[in-house]
Amino acid sequence: MMNPAAALARPGLQDFDNSNIFPWIKNWLGTLGSDRHAFEAYPDTGDRGRYDLSSLVAPGDPIRIALAGDWGTGTDVAQQVADSMVADNPELTIHLGDIYYVGTDTEIQENCLGIGGQYQGVSWKHGSKGSFALNGNHEMYSGGTPYFDLFLPTLGIPSSRDQQQLRSYFCLEAPAWRILAIDTGYNSDTLAGDCALENPLLDWIGNVVDPIHHPKPTVVLSHHQWFSGFGDGDYPKPAQQLSPFFKNQQIIWLWGHEHRLAIFYLYQSRRGHGLSCFARCIGHGGMPLETASAAYPNEDDPQRVEYWDNPGLHPDRFRKLADGTQVGTNGFAEMTIQGSKLSIEYFDADRTSIFKESFVPGGAKWDGTLVRTVESDPKILTKMIYE
């Protein structure tokens, strides 16, 4: 017998257009007064949030991780993205956060767990070895409890000691690379929210991950951007908190929050904390894509976009929905670690590859730098040139 929920339609992408504020306000008002979930440290036993990626594959085999940001809309395109992410059977999948509208129990069930209710459910897909999800501001609008208590127990690496994802932050360790996932969402749910990292997370980075005494080429994952190349706001607090752990080291930082795909030139802060990173915005997983132009960098702190999806030059990548809303092409990224080489390939929702780059540690003995190579000609994306 067919499940009645399977016959329901999914919401249209236009339902999440930011120009229509009424459903956002309605859902936000419905969560006012929600209890805020505690931010907890890891227990002193088990994996303590550190996972050995080399245990997931045979020696010498690559480790592949598919990532999407701002995916949780429960739309047909969100399901298409999730299906495409696992089409090549990666070991892990990671969501960079935001389940809409406000991360309630019902929204997590419909938009992530495939449980139909008002709409036909959408399923977040796991890799062959497991899956993780970061916390976003939209999860915290409802206090975070559905994310922490309903979604996280379905995630993790089943073969690990803890079996499930216990906290909103974690570390994936390969022999030559480290992937550090942080929670910028917990302190982002108010107008004054600065995305500050909680003390248990900082203590865990210093004492469990310990990048000061055990440095390694590192990819940072977060929901919020350190900076925007499009005039959409900066969140420098987490970068300031992370900088003591990564002195004289270049990192790669993948984030979402802004609903677009953007590749940045190597960024060196001029504001005193000295963190240096190759920034990538992959917040194009499920929301209608924002079409603002790349902002020209200011002289005091240049935030230089290298590649982005420009509707002016590539109108074929943008379409109008039934209500006239212009939206771009959604997609995701896939990270592959093979020995000392880390590659990131960027895909459209239908798994069309649009850009690929790779990184290796710099120097005969790693000197803290990363050597980046563009491996495919990104003809679809617009390259920004600065004098």
Side-chain angles (χ1 to χ4, degrees), residues 242-258:
L242 287 177
S243 61
F245 299 111
F246 299 105
K247 290 182 177 179
N248 303 314
Q249 179 177 339
Q250 295 174 350
I251 64 173
I252 303 167
W253 194 334
L254 274 63
W255 57 59
H257 194 59
E258 292 185 273

Side-chain angles (χ1 to χ4, degrees), residues 64-86:
R64 295 165 304 149
I65 303 170
L67 308 100
D70 302 75
W71 168 86
T73 54
T75 59
D76 285 337
V77 73
Q79 189 64 73
Q80 182 187 23
V81 167
D83 292 341
S84 291
M85 290 174 69
V86 297

Side-chain angles (χ1 to χ4, degrees), residues 53-331:
L53 293 181
S54 62
S55 68
L56 304 182
V57 296
D61 283 357
I63 298 164
R64 295 165 304 149
I65 303 170
L67 308 100
D70 302 75
W71 168 86
T73 54
T75 59
D76 285 337
V77 73
Q79 189 64 73
Q80 182 187 23
V81 167
D83 292 341
S84 291
M85 290 174 69
V86 297
D88 200 31
N89 202 31
E91 281 69 41
L92 296 173
T93 59
I94 300 177
H95 183 219
L96 298 189
D98 266 6
I99 301 166
Y100 305 96
Y101 291 97
V102 289
T104 62
D105 285 341
T106 297
E107 289 168 348
I108 286 177
Q109 289 171 343
E110 290 187 347
N111 299 356
C112 302
L113 302 182
I115 301 172
Q118 181 181 359
Y119 298 105
Q120 180 184 352
V122 166
S123 297
W124 171 252
K125 296 301 182 72
H126 293 202
S128 62
K129 303 298 183 181
S131 186
F132 293 87
L134 301 188
N135 190 16
N137 49 301
H138 284 266
E139 287 86 332
M140 291 306 301
Y141 290 150
S142 60
T145 295
Y147 161 78
F148 283 102
D149 293 352
L150 179 61
F151 194 29
L152 288 196
T154 71
L155 304 172
I157 299 177
S159 62
S160 68
R161 286 178 292 176
D162 290 336
Q163 298 185 330
Q164 68 184 51
Q165 183 178 342
L166 296 180
R167 301 292 184 264
S168 57
Y169 52 98
F170 54 89
C171 180
L172 308 176
E173 297 273 7
W177 285 88
R178 170 179 292 136
I179 301 172
L180 178 66
I182 60 175
D183 185 347
T184 61
Y186 193 79
N187 289 314
S188 68
D189 56 322
T190 66
L191 292 177
D194 62 359
C195 301
L197 306 181
E198 287 284 296
N199 286 331
L201 193 165
L202 294 171
D203 291 343
W204 170 82
I205 294 175
N207 297 318
V208 177
V209 180
D210 195 10
I212 294 176
H213 297 102
H214 301 283
K216 188 184 287 187
T218 297
V219 179
V220 172
L221 306 178
S222 67
H223 177 69
H224 291 85
Q225 70 267 20
W226 171 7
F227 51 81
S228 171
F230 299 84
D232 285 344
D234 301 342
Y235 298 95
K237 184 65 175 181
Q240 295 167 5
Q241 294 173 294
L242 287 177
S243 61
F245 299 111
F246 299 105
K247 290 182 177 179
N248 303 314
Q249 179 177 339
Q250 295 174 350
I251 64 173
I252 303 167
W253 194 334
L254 274 63
W255 57 59
H257 194 59
E258 292 185 273
H259 306 142
R260 59 171 53 92
L261 170 64
I263 311 296
F264 292 81
Y265 287 101
L266 176 64
Y267 178 78
Q268 175 68 55
S269 174
R270 297 181 182 177
R271 294 180 179 171
H273 48 76
L275 198 60
S276 177
C277 80
F278 293 90
R280 309 292 182 252
C281 178
I282 57 168
H284 63 317
M287 282 286 288
L289 298 199
E290 297 159 353
T291 57
S293 296
Y296 193 83
N298 63 70
E299 294 181 357
D300 294 329
D301 209 355
Q303 300 164 358
R304 298 191 166 194
V305 176
E306 182 181 16
Y307 296 105
W308 67 293
D309 229 346
N310 184 346
L313 293 181
H314 299 284
D316 56 311
R317 293 184 54 74
F318 291 77
R319 70 189 193 280
K320 286 189 176 181
L321 302 176
D323 67 346
T325 303
Q326 180 175 256
V327 297
T329 303
N330 296 92

